mmCIF file of all heavy atoms in Angstrom:
data_model
loop_
_atom_site.group_PDB
_atom_site.id
_atom_site.type_symbol
_atom_site.label_atom_id
_atom_site.label_comp_id
_atom_site.label_asym_id
_atom_site.label_seq_id
_atom_site.Cartn_x
_atom_site.Cartn_y
_atom_site.Cartn_z
ATOM 1 N N ASP A 279 13.237 1.871 -16.381
ATOM 2 C CA ASP A 279 13.759 0.551 -16.684
ATOM 3 C C ASP A 279 14.146 -0.110 -15.372
ATOM 4 O O ASP A 279 15.300 -0.108 -14.920
ATOM 5 C CB ASP A 279 14.902 0.648 -17.583
ATOM 6 C CG ASP A 279 15.339 -0.739 -18.209
ATOM 7 O OD1 ASP A 279 14.935 -1.756 -17.592
ATOM 8 O OD2 ASP A 279 16.045 -0.790 -19.213
ATOM 9 N N TYR A 280 13.191 -0.755 -14.668
ATOM 10 C CA TYR A 280 13.476 -1.322 -13.342
ATOM 11 C C TYR A 280 14.519 -2.449 -13.440
ATOM 12 O O TYR A 280 15.392 -2.498 -12.537
ATOM 13 C CB TYR A 280 12.126 -1.880 -12.762
ATOM 14 C CG TYR A 280 12.386 -2.841 -11.621
ATOM 15 C CD1 TYR A 280 12.810 -2.308 -10.421
ATOM 16 C CD2 TYR A 280 12.274 -4.212 -11.789
ATOM 17 C CE1 TYR A 280 13.062 -3.198 -9.323
ATOM 18 C CE2 TYR A 280 12.556 -5.088 -10.738
ATOM 19 C CZ TYR A 280 12.966 -4.593 -9.544
ATOM 20 O OH TYR A 280 13.280 -5.420 -8.521
ATOM 21 N N VAL A 281 14.412 -3.298 -14.441
ATOM 22 C CA VAL A 281 15.410 -4.378 -14.490
ATOM 23 C C VAL A 281 16.833 -3.837 -14.609
ATOM 24 O O VAL A 281 17.747 -4.341 -13.873
ATOM 25 C CB VAL A 281 15.040 -5.369 -15.654
ATOM 26 C CG1 VAL A 281 16.235 -6.381 -15.880
ATOM 27 C CG2 VAL A 281 13.740 -6.074 -15.422
ATOM 28 N N ALA A 282 17.037 -2.877 -15.434
ATOM 29 C CA ALA A 282 18.395 -2.366 -15.621
ATOM 30 C C ALA A 282 18.870 -1.706 -14.325
ATOM 31 O O ALA A 282 19.985 -1.918 -13.901
ATOM 32 C CB ALA A 282 18.406 -1.312 -16.736
ATOM 33 N N GLU A 283 17.994 -0.990 -13.630
ATOM 34 C CA GLU A 283 18.370 -0.370 -12.360
ATOM 35 C C GLU A 283 18.619 -1.371 -11.287
ATOM 36 O O GLU A 283 19.611 -1.254 -10.502
ATOM 37 C CB GLU A 283 17.275 0.598 -11.926
ATOM 38 C CG GLU A 283 17.601 1.370 -10.654
ATOM 39 C CD GLU A 283 18.755 2.374 -10.803
ATOM 40 O OE1 GLU A 283 19.307 2.510 -11.854
ATOM 41 O OE2 GLU A 283 19.063 3.030 -9.747
ATOM 42 N N SER A 284 17.769 -2.408 -11.176
ATOM 43 C CA SER A 284 17.967 -3.445 -10.145
ATOM 44 C C SER A 284 19.199 -4.247 -10.415
ATOM 45 O O SER A 284 19.971 -4.618 -9.475
ATOM 46 C CB SER A 284 16.734 -4.372 -10.108
ATOM 47 O OG SER A 284 16.599 -5.103 -11.312
ATOM 48 N N VAL A 285 19.505 -4.497 -11.640
ATOM 49 C CA VAL A 285 20.751 -5.276 -11.979
ATOM 50 C C VAL A 285 21.971 -4.478 -11.595
ATOM 51 O O VAL A 285 22.974 -5.078 -11.080
ATOM 52 C CB VAL A 285 20.793 -5.635 -13.508
ATOM 53 C CG1 VAL A 285 22.167 -6.106 -13.943
ATOM 54 C CG2 VAL A 285 19.766 -6.725 -13.774
ATOM 55 N N ARG A 286 21.957 -3.184 -11.739
ATOM 56 C CA ARG A 286 23.064 -2.357 -11.279
ATOM 57 C C ARG A 286 23.259 -2.528 -9.777
ATOM 58 O O ARG A 286 24.409 -2.660 -9.249
ATOM 59 C CB ARG A 286 22.850 -0.876 -11.566
ATOM 60 C CG ARG A 286 22.929 -0.498 -13.042
ATOM 61 C CD ARG A 286 23.270 1.018 -13.192
ATOM 62 N NE ARG A 286 22.370 1.893 -12.399
ATOM 63 C CZ ARG A 286 22.844 2.944 -11.719
ATOM 64 N NH1 ARG A 286 24.118 3.206 -11.677
ATOM 65 N NH2 ARG A 286 21.998 3.724 -11.082
ATOM 66 N N TRP A 287 22.163 -2.545 -9.046
ATOM 67 C CA TRP A 287 22.209 -2.708 -7.586
ATOM 68 C C TRP A 287 22.745 -4.099 -7.209
ATOM 69 O O TRP A 287 23.636 -4.310 -6.395
ATOM 70 C CB TRP A 287 20.828 -2.573 -7.013
ATOM 71 C CG TRP A 287 20.726 -2.562 -5.519
ATOM 72 C CD1 TRP A 287 20.252 -3.565 -4.754
ATOM 73 C CD2 TRP A 287 21.231 -1.510 -4.603
ATOM 74 N NE1 TRP A 287 20.313 -3.225 -3.381
ATOM 75 C CE2 TRP A 287 20.914 -1.994 -3.279
ATOM 76 C CE3 TRP A 287 21.841 -0.307 -4.762
ATOM 77 C CZ2 TRP A 287 21.212 -1.240 -2.135
ATOM 78 C CZ3 TRP A 287 22.105 0.453 -3.612
ATOM 79 C CH2 TRP A 287 21.829 -0.028 -2.362
ATOM 80 N N TRP A 288 22.168 -5.134 -7.900
ATOM 81 C CA TRP A 288 22.645 -6.500 -7.593
ATOM 82 C C TRP A 288 24.100 -6.675 -7.962
ATOM 83 O O TRP A 288 24.908 -7.376 -7.308
ATOM 84 C CB TRP A 288 21.775 -7.530 -8.295
ATOM 85 C CG TRP A 288 20.332 -7.459 -7.992
ATOM 86 C CD1 TRP A 288 19.292 -7.440 -8.884
ATOM 87 C CD2 TRP A 288 19.704 -7.520 -6.693
ATOM 88 N NE1 TRP A 288 18.086 -7.403 -8.240
ATOM 89 C CE2 TRP A 288 18.297 -7.454 -6.869
ATOM 90 C CE3 TRP A 288 20.215 -7.538 -5.385
ATOM 91 C CZ2 TRP A 288 17.382 -7.423 -5.832
ATOM 92 C CZ3 TRP A 288 19.297 -7.537 -4.303
ATOM 93 C CH2 TRP A 288 17.954 -7.482 -4.520
ATOM 94 N N ASP A 289 24.468 -6.145 -9.152
ATOM 95 C CA ASP A 289 25.930 -6.273 -9.586
ATOM 96 C C ASP A 289 26.869 -5.700 -8.520
ATOM 97 O O ASP A 289 27.928 -6.320 -8.229
ATOM 98 C CB ASP A 289 26.137 -5.523 -10.930
ATOM 99 C CG ASP A 289 25.623 -6.315 -12.169
ATOM 100 O OD1 ASP A 289 25.213 -7.492 -11.978
ATOM 101 O OD2 ASP A 289 25.627 -5.707 -13.237
ATOM 102 N N ARG A 290 26.467 -4.624 -7.929
ATOM 103 C CA ARG A 290 27.379 -4.005 -6.936
ATOM 104 C C ARG A 290 27.483 -4.840 -5.661
ATOM 105 O O ARG A 290 28.583 -5.053 -5.135
ATOM 106 C CB ARG A 290 26.890 -2.589 -6.593
ATOM 107 C CG ARG A 290 27.694 -1.887 -5.507
ATOM 108 C CD ARG A 290 29.119 -1.580 -5.976
ATOM 109 N NE ARG A 290 29.946 -1.093 -4.937
ATOM 110 C CZ ARG A 290 30.682 -1.834 -4.101
ATOM 111 N NH1 ARG A 290 30.687 -3.138 -4.235
ATOM 112 N NH2 ARG A 290 31.483 -1.301 -3.199
ATOM 113 N N TRP A 291 26.370 -5.285 -5.154
ATOM 114 C CA TRP A 291 26.285 -5.928 -3.829
ATOM 115 C C TRP A 291 26.329 -7.420 -3.832
ATOM 116 O O TRP A 291 26.582 -8.065 -2.820
ATOM 117 C CB TRP A 291 25.179 -5.377 -3.001
ATOM 118 C CG TRP A 291 25.188 -3.868 -2.936
ATOM 119 C CD1 TRP A 291 24.349 -2.975 -3.442
ATOM 120 C CD2 TRP A 291 26.203 -3.116 -2.242
ATOM 121 N NE1 TRP A 291 24.692 -1.677 -3.160
ATOM 122 C CE2 TRP A 291 25.834 -1.740 -2.440
ATOM 123 C CE3 TRP A 291 27.350 -3.441 -1.521
ATOM 124 C CZ2 TRP A 291 26.566 -0.721 -1.835
ATOM 125 C CZ3 TRP A 291 28.062 -2.438 -0.956
ATOM 126 C CH2 TRP A 291 27.735 -1.050 -1.158
ATOM 127 N N LEU A 292 25.944 -8.073 -5.001
ATOM 128 C CA LEU A 292 26.039 -9.543 -5.044
ATOM 129 C C LEU A 292 27.221 -10.065 -5.850
ATOM 130 O O LEU A 292 27.655 -11.187 -5.619
ATOM 131 C CB LEU A 292 24.728 -10.114 -5.625
ATOM 132 C CG LEU A 292 23.394 -9.770 -4.886
ATOM 133 C CD1 LEU A 292 22.243 -10.503 -5.502
ATOM 134 C CD2 LEU A 292 23.478 -10.052 -3.375
ATOM 135 N N LYS A 293 27.653 -9.250 -6.788
ATOM 136 C CA LYS A 293 28.833 -9.663 -7.617
ATOM 137 C C LYS A 293 30.091 -8.831 -7.337
ATOM 138 O O LYS A 293 31.139 -9.205 -7.829
ATOM 139 C CB LYS A 293 28.479 -9.506 -9.084
ATOM 140 C CG LYS A 293 27.455 -10.455 -9.593
ATOM 141 C CD LYS A 293 27.163 -10.291 -11.068
ATOM 142 C CE LYS A 293 26.175 -11.336 -11.621
ATOM 143 N NZ LYS A 293 25.915 -11.107 -13.056
ATOM 144 N N GLY A 294 29.968 -7.741 -6.564
ATOM 145 C CA GLY A 294 31.127 -6.984 -6.205
ATOM 146 C C GLY A 294 31.661 -6.108 -7.314
ATOM 147 O O GLY A 294 32.803 -5.668 -7.293
ATOM 148 N N VAL A 295 30.792 -5.820 -8.286
ATOM 149 C CA VAL A 295 31.169 -4.958 -9.403
ATOM 150 C C VAL A 295 31.224 -3.491 -8.982
ATOM 151 O O VAL A 295 30.234 -2.949 -8.443
ATOM 152 C CB VAL A 295 30.185 -5.096 -10.603
ATOM 153 C CG1 VAL A 295 30.563 -4.098 -11.736
ATOM 154 C CG2 VAL A 295 30.145 -6.547 -11.103
ATOM 155 N N ASP A 296 32.334 -2.834 -9.116
ATOM 156 C CA ASP A 296 32.479 -1.442 -8.759
ATOM 157 C C ASP A 296 31.932 -0.566 -9.841
ATOM 158 O O ASP A 296 32.651 0.056 -10.627
ATOM 159 C CB ASP A 296 33.953 -1.129 -8.498
ATOM 160 C CG ASP A 296 34.164 0.276 -7.895
ATOM 161 O OD1 ASP A 296 33.125 0.892 -7.520
ATOM 162 O OD2 ASP A 296 35.291 0.727 -7.794
ATOM 163 N N ASN A 297 30.595 -0.390 -9.868
ATOM 164 C CA ASN A 297 29.962 0.276 -10.971
ATOM 165 C C ASN A 297 29.487 1.687 -10.591
ATOM 166 O O ASN A 297 28.887 2.399 -11.316
ATOM 167 C CB ASN A 297 28.697 -0.504 -11.482
ATOM 168 C CG ASN A 297 27.721 -0.851 -10.362
ATOM 169 O OD1 ASN A 297 27.773 -0.221 -9.283
ATOM 170 N ND2 ASN A 297 26.764 -1.748 -10.642
ATOM 171 N N GLY A 298 29.825 2.081 -9.369
ATOM 172 C CA GLY A 298 29.588 3.430 -8.910
ATOM 173 C C GLY A 298 28.184 3.751 -8.384
ATOM 174 O O GLY A 298 27.914 4.910 -7.959
ATOM 175 N N ILE A 299 27.279 2.796 -8.355
ATOM 176 C CA ILE A 299 25.898 3.097 -7.867
ATOM 177 C C ILE A 299 25.903 3.515 -6.438
ATOM 178 O O ILE A 299 25.079 4.285 -6.012
ATOM 179 C CB ILE A 299 25.007 1.870 -8.093
ATOM 180 C CG1 ILE A 299 23.499 2.293 -7.914
ATOM 181 C CG2 ILE A 299 25.368 0.674 -7.211
ATOM 182 C CD1 ILE A 299 22.553 1.184 -8.331
ATOM 183 N N ASP A 300 26.856 3.033 -5.646
ATOM 184 C CA ASP A 300 26.929 3.385 -4.189
ATOM 185 C C ASP A 300 27.479 4.784 -4.037
ATOM 186 O O ASP A 300 27.475 5.305 -2.937
ATOM 187 C CB ASP A 300 27.783 2.396 -3.482
ATOM 188 C CG ASP A 300 29.142 2.136 -4.063
ATOM 189 O OD1 ASP A 300 29.247 2.170 -5.302
ATOM 190 O OD2 ASP A 300 30.103 1.941 -3.336
ATOM 191 N N LYS A 301 28.047 5.404 -5.091
ATOM 192 C CA LYS A 301 28.575 6.792 -4.987
ATOM 193 C C LYS A 301 27.647 7.819 -5.588
ATOM 194 O O LYS A 301 27.902 9.003 -5.540
ATOM 195 C CB LYS A 301 29.926 6.813 -5.689
ATOM 196 C CG LYS A 301 30.946 5.835 -5.157
ATOM 197 C CD LYS A 301 32.264 5.883 -5.947
ATOM 198 C CE LYS A 301 33.285 4.943 -5.389
ATOM 199 N NZ LYS A 301 32.840 3.489 -5.537
ATOM 200 N N GLU A 302 26.474 7.383 -6.125
ATOM 201 C CA GLU A 302 25.518 8.278 -6.679
ATOM 202 C C GLU A 302 24.713 8.942 -5.590
ATOM 203 O O GLU A 302 24.757 8.496 -4.442
ATOM 204 C CB GLU A 302 24.608 7.518 -7.615
ATOM 205 C CG GLU A 302 25.299 6.980 -8.879
ATOM 206 C CD GLU A 302 24.456 5.993 -9.703
ATOM 207 O OE1 GLU A 302 23.259 5.777 -9.284
ATOM 208 O OE2 GLU A 302 24.938 5.517 -10.705
ATOM 209 N N PRO A 303 23.931 9.984 -5.939
ATOM 210 C CA PRO A 303 23.086 10.612 -4.916
ATOM 211 C C PRO A 303 22.120 9.488 -4.347
ATOM 212 O O PRO A 303 21.738 8.582 -5.015
ATOM 213 C CB PRO A 303 22.276 11.581 -5.745
ATOM 214 C CG PRO A 303 23.170 11.991 -6.884
ATOM 215 C CD PRO A 303 23.947 10.721 -7.180
ATOM 216 N N GLU A 304 21.821 9.610 -3.065
ATOM 217 C CA GLU A 304 21.021 8.627 -2.358
ATOM 218 C C GLU A 304 19.615 8.572 -2.833
ATOM 219 O O GLU A 304 18.979 7.517 -2.771
ATOM 220 C CB GLU A 304 21.099 8.889 -0.852
ATOM 221 C CG GLU A 304 22.284 8.396 -0.164
ATOM 222 C CD GLU A 304 22.167 8.561 1.372
ATOM 223 O OE1 GLU A 304 21.113 9.081 1.857
ATOM 224 O OE2 GLU A 304 23.101 8.216 2.091
ATOM 225 N N LEU A 305 19.069 9.680 -3.308
ATOM 226 C CA LEU A 305 17.699 9.707 -3.607
ATOM 227 C C LEU A 305 17.398 10.362 -4.964
ATOM 228 O O LEU A 305 18.003 11.368 -5.321
ATOM 229 C CB LEU A 305 16.910 10.531 -2.544
ATOM 230 C CG LEU A 305 15.419 10.804 -2.834
ATOM 231 C CD1 LEU A 305 14.634 9.525 -2.782
ATOM 232 C CD2 LEU A 305 14.872 11.793 -1.781
ATOM 233 N N HIS A 306 16.624 9.705 -5.777
ATOM 234 C CA HIS A 306 16.059 10.273 -6.996
ATOM 235 C C HIS A 306 14.522 10.300 -6.879
ATOM 236 O O HIS A 306 13.951 9.237 -6.481
ATOM 237 C CB HIS A 306 16.479 9.454 -8.215
ATOM 238 C CG HIS A 306 17.930 9.352 -8.463
ATOM 239 N ND1 HIS A 306 18.676 10.353 -9.052
ATOM 240 C CD2 HIS A 306 18.855 8.386 -8.158
ATOM 241 C CE1 HIS A 306 19.930 10.033 -9.076
ATOM 242 N NE2 HIS A 306 20.069 8.817 -8.562
#
Side-chain angles (χ1 to χ4, degrees):
D279 192 343
Y280 164 73
V281 171
E283 181 68 1
S284 65
V285 166
R286 291 203 308 136
W287 186 253
W288 302 129
D289 281 352
R290 177 66 186 90
W291 302 114
L292 301 186
K293 292 182 177 179
V295 177
D296 188 10
N297 57 14
I299 193 171
D300 52 323
K301 301 178 181 65
E302 294 171 1
E304 279 187 359
L305 174 65
H306 298 280

